[in-house]
Short mmCIF file of all heavy atoms in Angstrom, two decimals:
data_model
loop_
_atom_site.label_atom_id
_atom_site.label_comp_id
_atom_site.label_asym_id
_atom_site.label_seq_id
_atom_site.Cartn_x
_atom_site.Cartn_y
_atom_site.Cartn_z
N LEU A 153 -9.27 5.02 -5.00
CA LEU A 153 -9.51 5.78 -3.76
C LEU A 153 -10.91 6.35 -3.66
O LEU A 153 -11.54 6.29 -2.61
CB LEU A 153 -8.48 6.94 -3.64
CG LEU A 153 -7.03 6.49 -3.35
CD1 LEU A 153 -6.12 7.74 -3.36
CD2 LEU A 153 -6.95 5.78 -1.99
N PRO A 154 -11.47 6.92 -4.76
CA PRO A 154 -12.86 7.41 -4.64
C PRO A 154 -13.87 6.41 -4.25
O PRO A 154 -14.90 6.76 -3.63
CB PRO A 154 -13.12 8.04 -6.03
CG PRO A 154 -11.82 8.31 -6.63
CD PRO A 154 -10.88 7.19 -6.08
N GLY A 155 -13.65 5.16 -4.59
CA GLY A 155 -14.61 4.13 -4.28
C GLY A 155 -14.33 3.35 -3.00
O GLY A 155 -14.97 2.34 -2.73
N ALA A 156 -13.32 3.79 -2.24
CA ALA A 156 -12.96 3.11 -1.00
C ALA A 156 -14.18 3.15 -0.05
O ALA A 156 -14.76 4.17 0.24
CB ALA A 156 -11.76 3.76 -0.34
N PRO A 157 -14.54 1.95 0.50
CA PRO A 157 -15.75 1.87 1.35
C PRO A 157 -15.58 2.50 2.77
O PRO A 157 -16.55 2.85 3.38
CB PRO A 157 -15.99 0.37 1.46
CG PRO A 157 -14.67 -0.27 1.26
CD PRO A 157 -13.97 0.64 0.32
N ASP A 158 -14.32 2.61 3.24
CA ASP A 158 -14.04 3.20 4.55
C ASP A 158 -12.67 3.74 4.62
O ASP A 158 -11.91 3.64 3.67
CB ASP A 158 -14.27 2.12 5.61
CG ASP A 158 -13.52 0.82 5.24
OD1 ASP A 158 -12.26 0.93 5.01
OD2 ASP A 158 -14.12 -0.28 5.18
N LYS A 159 -12.35 4.36 5.79
CA LYS A 159 -11.04 4.98 5.96
C LYS A 159 -9.89 3.97 5.89
O LYS A 159 -8.83 4.26 5.35
CB LYS A 159 -11.01 5.71 7.28
CG LYS A 159 -11.89 6.93 7.32
CD LYS A 159 -11.68 7.71 8.61
CE LYS A 159 -12.57 8.99 8.65
NZ LYS A 159 -12.40 9.70 9.95
N ILE A 160 -10.13 2.77 6.47
CA ILE A 160 -9.06 1.81 6.43
C ILE A 160 -8.65 1.42 4.99
O ILE A 160 -7.47 1.41 4.65
CB ILE A 160 -9.49 0.48 7.21
CG1 ILE A 160 -9.70 0.83 8.68
CG2 ILE A 160 -8.45 -0.58 7.05
CD1 ILE A 160 -10.22 -0.32 9.48
N SER A 161 -9.66 1.12 4.16
CA SER A 161 -9.38 0.80 2.76
C SER A 161 -8.76 1.98 2.03
O SER A 161 -7.90 1.83 1.17
CB SER A 161 -10.67 0.35 2.08
OG SER A 161 -11.22 -0.80 2.68
N PHE A 162 -9.23 3.21 2.37
CA PHE A 162 -8.73 4.41 1.71
C PHE A 162 -7.27 4.58 1.96
O PHE A 162 -6.44 4.77 1.04
CB PHE A 162 -9.52 5.66 2.22
CG PHE A 162 -9.03 6.92 1.61
CD1 PHE A 162 -9.48 7.38 0.46
CD2 PHE A 162 -8.02 7.67 2.28
CE1 PHE A 162 -9.07 8.56 -0.12
CE2 PHE A 162 -7.58 8.88 1.72
CZ PHE A 162 -8.08 9.30 0.55
N PHE A 163 -6.84 4.47 3.23
CA PHE A 163 -5.46 4.69 3.57
C PHE A 163 -4.54 3.52 3.14
O PHE A 163 -3.38 3.71 2.81
CB PHE A 163 -5.27 4.95 5.10
CG PHE A 163 -5.74 6.34 5.46
CD1 PHE A 163 -6.87 6.54 6.21
CD2 PHE A 163 -5.02 7.42 5.03
CE1 PHE A 163 -7.29 7.81 6.60
CE2 PHE A 163 -5.46 8.72 5.42
CZ PHE A 163 -6.61 8.90 6.16
N LEU A 164 -5.10 2.29 3.10
CA LEU A 164 -4.33 1.17 2.57
C LEU A 164 -4.02 1.41 1.08
O LEU A 164 -2.88 1.21 0.61
CB LEU A 164 -5.13 -0.16 2.69
CG LEU A 164 -5.00 -0.91 3.98
CD1 LEU A 164 -5.98 -2.13 4.04
CD2 LEU A 164 -3.58 -1.45 4.19
N SER A 165 -5.04 1.79 0.35
CA SER A 165 -4.84 2.03 -1.08
C SER A 165 -3.94 3.22 -1.31
O SER A 165 -3.07 3.24 -2.21
CB SER A 165 -6.17 2.32 -1.79
OG SER A 165 -7.03 1.15 -1.73
N LEU A 166 -4.08 4.30 -0.53
CA LEU A 166 -3.28 5.47 -0.67
C LEU A 166 -1.76 5.21 -0.40
O LEU A 166 -0.89 5.48 -1.20
CB LEU A 166 -3.74 6.59 0.25
CG LEU A 166 -2.91 7.87 0.26
CD1 LEU A 166 -2.95 8.55 -1.13
CD2 LEU A 166 -3.44 8.84 1.35
N GLY A 167 -1.54 4.50 0.75
CA GLY A 167 -0.16 4.24 1.15
C GLY A 167 0.53 3.28 0.17
O GLY A 167 1.67 3.54 -0.27
N SER A 168 -0.19 2.20 -0.25
CA SER A 168 0.47 1.24 -1.19
C SER A 168 0.62 1.90 -2.56
O SER A 168 1.62 1.66 -3.25
CB SER A 168 -0.41 -0.05 -1.28
OG SER A 168 -1.70 0.27 -1.69
N GLY A 169 -0.32 2.72 -2.96
CA GLY A 169 -0.23 3.35 -4.24
C GLY A 169 0.98 4.28 -4.33
O GLY A 169 1.70 4.30 -5.36
N ILE A 170 1.23 5.02 -3.22
CA ILE A 170 2.39 5.90 -3.20
C ILE A 170 3.69 5.11 -3.23
O ILE A 170 4.64 5.41 -3.94
CB ILE A 170 2.36 6.78 -1.90
CG1 ILE A 170 1.20 7.82 -2.04
CG2 ILE A 170 3.69 7.54 -1.72
CD1 ILE A 170 0.97 8.60 -0.80
N LEU A 171 3.73 3.96 -2.46
CA LEU A 171 4.90 3.11 -2.50
C LEU A 171 5.18 2.57 -3.90
O LEU A 171 6.31 2.56 -4.34
CB LEU A 171 4.72 1.93 -1.53
CG LEU A 171 4.90 2.27 -0.04
CD1 LEU A 171 4.59 1.05 0.81
CD2 LEU A 171 6.36 2.68 0.21
N PHE A 172 4.09 2.16 -4.60
CA PHE A 172 4.31 1.62 -5.95
C PHE A 172 4.83 2.71 -6.88
O PHE A 172 5.66 2.42 -7.76
CB PHE A 172 3.01 1.03 -6.54
CG PHE A 172 2.59 -0.24 -5.91
CD1 PHE A 172 1.28 -0.43 -5.43
CD2 PHE A 172 3.48 -1.26 -5.80
CE1 PHE A 172 0.93 -1.62 -4.90
CE2 PHE A 172 3.09 -2.47 -5.23
CZ PHE A 172 1.78 -2.65 -4.76
N LEU A 173 4.39 3.95 -6.73
CA LEU A 173 4.93 5.08 -7.52
C LEU A 173 6.42 5.29 -7.20
O LEU A 173 7.21 5.53 -8.11
CB LEU A 173 4.14 6.34 -7.21
CG LEU A 173 2.85 6.60 -7.98
CD1 LEU A 173 2.26 7.92 -7.60
CD2 LEU A 173 3.09 6.55 -9.51
N VAL A 174 6.78 5.18 -5.93
CA VAL A 174 8.20 5.31 -5.55
C VAL A 174 9.04 4.22 -6.17
O VAL A 174 10.12 4.47 -6.72
CB VAL A 174 8.34 5.27 -4.00
CG1 VAL A 174 9.81 5.18 -3.62
CG2 VAL A 174 7.72 6.50 -3.40
N TYR A 175 8.51 2.95 -6.15
CA TYR A 175 9.24 1.85 -6.77
C TYR A 175 9.38 2.09 -8.29
O TYR A 175 10.48 1.82 -8.84
CB TYR A 175 8.53 0.53 -6.56
CG TYR A 175 8.31 0.13 -5.12
CD1 TYR A 175 7.26 -0.62 -4.69
CD2 TYR A 175 9.29 0.57 -4.13
CE1 TYR A 175 7.11 -0.98 -3.32
CE2 TYR A 175 9.14 0.22 -2.77
CZ TYR A 175 8.07 -0.59 -2.43
OH TYR A 175 7.93 -0.91 -1.11
N TYR A 176 8.31 2.56 -8.91
CA TYR A 176 8.35 2.85 -10.36
C TYR A 176 9.41 3.88 -10.64
O TYR A 176 10.23 3.75 -11.61
CB TYR A 176 7.00 3.31 -10.87
CG TYR A 176 7.05 3.80 -12.30
CD1 TYR A 176 7.13 2.90 -13.34
CD2 TYR A 176 7.04 5.18 -12.58
CE1 TYR A 176 7.16 3.37 -14.66
CE2 TYR A 176 7.11 5.61 -13.88
CZ TYR A 176 7.20 4.70 -14.93
OH TYR A 176 7.23 5.18 -16.22
N TYR A 177 9.40 4.97 -9.84
CA TYR A 177 10.38 6.06 -10.09
C TYR A 177 11.83 5.57 -10.00
O TYR A 177 12.63 5.83 -10.89
CB TYR A 177 10.16 7.18 -9.10
CG TYR A 177 11.26 8.29 -9.13
CD1 TYR A 177 11.29 9.21 -10.11
CD2 TYR A 177 12.25 8.25 -8.17
CE1 TYR A 177 12.26 10.20 -10.16
CE2 TYR A 177 13.29 9.19 -8.20
CZ TYR A 177 13.29 10.16 -9.20
OH TYR A 177 14.28 11.08 -9.26
N PHE A 178 12.16 4.84 -8.92
CA PHE A 178 13.51 4.40 -8.76
C PHE A 178 13.89 3.30 -9.74
O PHE A 178 15.08 3.20 -10.15
CB PHE A 178 13.76 3.93 -7.29
CG PHE A 178 13.96 5.01 -6.32
CD1 PHE A 178 12.92 5.46 -5.54
CD2 PHE A 178 15.17 5.74 -6.26
CE1 PHE A 178 13.09 6.50 -4.64
CE2 PHE A 178 15.35 6.77 -5.36
CZ PHE A 178 14.28 7.14 -4.54
N SER A 179 12.94 2.54 -10.17
CA SER A 179 13.23 1.53 -11.17
C SER A 179 13.43 2.12 -12.58
O SER A 179 14.35 1.81 -13.27
CB SER A 179 12.11 0.48 -11.18
OG SER A 179 12.30 -0.42 -12.26
#
């Protein structure tokens, strides 16, 4: 996230990262 070049990349990484954490938790 700190190295994201723009807002689109930032929110893509943030949203997918949170989803992966959710998947990890439930798994």
Side-chain angles (χ1 to χ4, degrees):
L153 290 177
D158 50 54
K159 289 184 178 180
I160 296 176
S161 298
F162 178 87
F163 286 111
L164 273 174
S165 296
L166 177 63
S168 59
I170 292 173
L171 282 175
F172 287 131
L173 275 181
V174 170
Y175 299 151
Y176 171 77
Y177 171 79
F178 281 101
S179 174

